[in-house]
Amino acid sequence: MSEQDEGVFIGVGELPSGRYPNRPFMGDLVNVAVAAVRDAGLTVPDIDTILLIPCLHSPADQADLIFSRVVEELGLHGRAKSSYMVHSGGSTSDNTIRDAAGLIATGRAKNVLVLQAEKWGSAPVGEMIDMLTANGIPREWEKPSGLSFNAVGALIHRRYMHASGSTAADMASVCVALREWSRLNPNAMYKDRTLSVEQVLASKVVCDPLHAFECPMLADGAVGLVMTSAGNARRLGKDRWVKVAGSGGCVSHYSIGQEADLAVLGWEKASVEAYEEAGWGPADADLAEVYDSYAAVLASGMEGLGLAPKGEAARMFAAGDFSPGGRLPVNTNGGLLSAGHTGVGGGTALLAEGVRQLLGKAGPDRQVSGADRAVCGGSGGTYMDSQVLLLEGVSA
């Protein structure tokens, strides 16, 4: 594959996350699609392929995605070559981008629109709780014991604290750092509320040792990304685009009881492959956007990706190393814990933030100066896989 044929990002769109019951699901998808396409300097008829990231709030809305309603809503019926869904939970965005890049590189697609929307924040709470105590948890063995997603998060949290010697205050500091970032993000769910370690530790214990402020809040949200070839980006007169320099993955388990080490997960194996392909390492990264539905998932990810020494990530968060003004900007949109957990879209929002930063479009308050390289990581289900994309900004 020539450099001219490789798939690159040229546009990104996002709607504010939070609770927006009056924002219709399909309306969110259309609005964020138009925003992303305009940001790319294209028009909607320029899109020939749509890759959809699933929603979890409604089987009916999910069916609409599968059966190409978005194509019709965008006026692309008879024009689009293909519209289909990719699904691997919180790592879906990583796998979708691999699909998009492959379609572009082989000439099967010219301009690909990746879309995600979720209504978790407005969906019936009881139904979402039922869903989150079933999906990804073995029905034969673990579900009868009462295991739920918060319980899985608590297991990982407890194991990481034991393995690293991190204190409860260290772990709470991860949430505080992400809140500092979200306050710089106008699209974040928690853009107007401060958070302290004391507040985190004083909040209700949800599943020992997890406190309420250490659990992600379900949110509505929408993200769109536009990809094309590097050659086409140049022909469009773009002065900058973002490429995938390296990619790696590891599926470490299905049942959380079969994970060899809850403090490690699959991050290290995934990162080795990605760094080898990119030809650069963690010391070369200008920022990181790593899945963070719970503090320990982010801490273990930072260590497995080589962005923090083994066992030190939580203490580095406590020291301010990953906060605004720190050594390495991490989850600059506020992450799932403060920007809002938009289901499968939580990883998509982090990826979009990495692209936005490397395009230089993050705005005056949180733009990382001179950002050229970003480490992005997603994890699906009960953290059963770890997926890594290494992004590079390219100037024409």
Side-chain angles (χ1 to χ4, degrees):
M1 178 182 70
S2 73
E3 185 176 308
Q4 294 298 300
D5 295 329
E6 68 181 353
V8 299
F9 298 94
I10 59 170
V12 59
E14 186 174 40
L15 301 184
S17 296
R19 293 189 180 93
Y20 296 96
N22 294 324
R23 268 182 12 195
F25 174 68
M26 195 56 59
D28 277 3
L29 280 169
V30 170
N31 286 333
V32 83
V34 170
V37 169
R38 285 178 176 169
D39 187 63
L42 301 176
T43 64
V44 172
D46 293 321
I47 300 298
D48 60 11
T49 301
I50 299 176
L51 300 188
L52 294 153
I53 291 174
C55 66
L56 299 177
H57 70 272
S58 163
D61 284 339
Q62 184 90 306
D64 279 348
L65 299 184
I66 295 168
F67 299 125
S68 302
R69 179 176 174 182
V70 175
V71 170
E72 191 164 297
E73 294 289 346
L74 290 174
L76 292 174
H77 41 304
R79 295 172 176 262
K81 292 181 180 180
S82 183
S83 171
Y84 65 91
M85 180 186 294
V86 181
H87 198 349
S88 61
S91 63
T92 300
S93 54
D94 307 271
N95 290 315
T96 303
I97 295 312
R98 292 175 183 135
D99 268 18
L103 290 169
I104 291 166
T106 57
R108 300 291 181 184
K110 182 178 181 181
N111 298 314
V112 178
L113 175 61
V114 177
L115 285 179
Q116 174 273 329
E118 182 58 87
K119 295 291 291 181
W120 258 13
S122 300
V125 174
E127 292 180 14
M128 296 304 98
I129 291 173
D130 289 344
M131 184 266 295
L132 290 169
T133 54
N135 294 350
I137 296 172
R139 293 180 293 277
E140 302 88 346
W141 307 106
E142 294 179 353
K143 185 180 178 184
S145 72
L147 194 67
S148 65
F149 265 82
N150 279 340
V152 170
L155 288 169
I156 296 172
H157 197 100
R158 177 71 75 187
R159 176 60 188 162
Y160 177 82
M161 288 179 69
H162 172 77
S164 65
S166 300
T167 66
D170 293 332
M171 303 306 291
S173 296
V174 177
C175 305
V176 173
L178 297 177
R179 183 61 60 87
E180 291 174 6
W181 281 113
S182 75
R183 284 171 53 76
L184 303 178
N185 179 8
N187 287 328
M189 186 173 191
Y190 293 108
K191 58 181 176 291
D192 301 319
R193 301 186 195 177
T194 59
L195 187 65
S196 67
V197 168
E198 292 74 21
Q199 286 176 303
V200 173
L201 298 181
S203 63
K204 181 177 70 173
V205 174
V206 173
C207 191
D208 189 30
L210 282 178
H211 298 81
F213 285 158
E214 293 175 303
C215 300
M217 289 298 293
L218 306 187
D220 305 334
V223 174
L225 292 157
V226 176
M227 294 185 72
T228 191
S229 67
N232 195 43
R234 185 172 279 109
R235 286 189 289 273
L236 289 169
K238 297 295 180 184
D239 57 8
R240 189 163 176 86
W241 52 86
V242 175
K243 72 175 185 177
V244 178
S247 172
C250 173
V251 180
S252 53
H253 62 273
Y254 168 64
S255 165
I256 197 69
Q258 297 301 309
E259 171 55 54
D261 192 338
L262 294 176
V264 176
L265 303 175
W267 294 109
E268 186 172 351
K269 288 184 179 179
S271 68
V272 168
E273 180 184 2
Y275 288 132
E276 286 181 354
E277 182 180 344
W280 51 267
D284 302 306
D286 298 309
L287 64 139
E289 310 288 349
V290 182
Y291 205 79
D292 68 312
S293 52
Y294 298 100
V297 173
L298 176 55
S300 66
M302 294 294 291
E303 293 170 15
L305 292 165
L307 300 169
K310 185 76 171 176
E312 293 299 318
R315 281 185 284 273
M316 293 176 72
F317 272 102
D321 286 0
F322 305 131
S323 300
R327 181 180 65 83
L328 179 70
V330 174
N331 292 10
T332 52
N333 69 336
L336 284 72
L337 283 163
S338 272
H341 191 344
T342 53
V344 175
T348 315
L350 285 165
L351 175 62
E353 175 69 5
V355 171
R356 187 184 293 112
Q357 286 281 354
L358 297 188
L359 287 174
K361 296 180 176 181
D365 293 330
R366 73 179 195 283
Q367 177 64 51
V368 177
S369 178
D372 286 318
R373 289 172 171 166
V375 177
C376 297
S379 183
T382 51
Y383 314 102
M384 53 194 62
D385 72 333
S386 301
Q387 302 295 335
V388 181
L389 296 179
L390 304 180
L391 306 183
E392 283 186 20
V394 179
S395 297

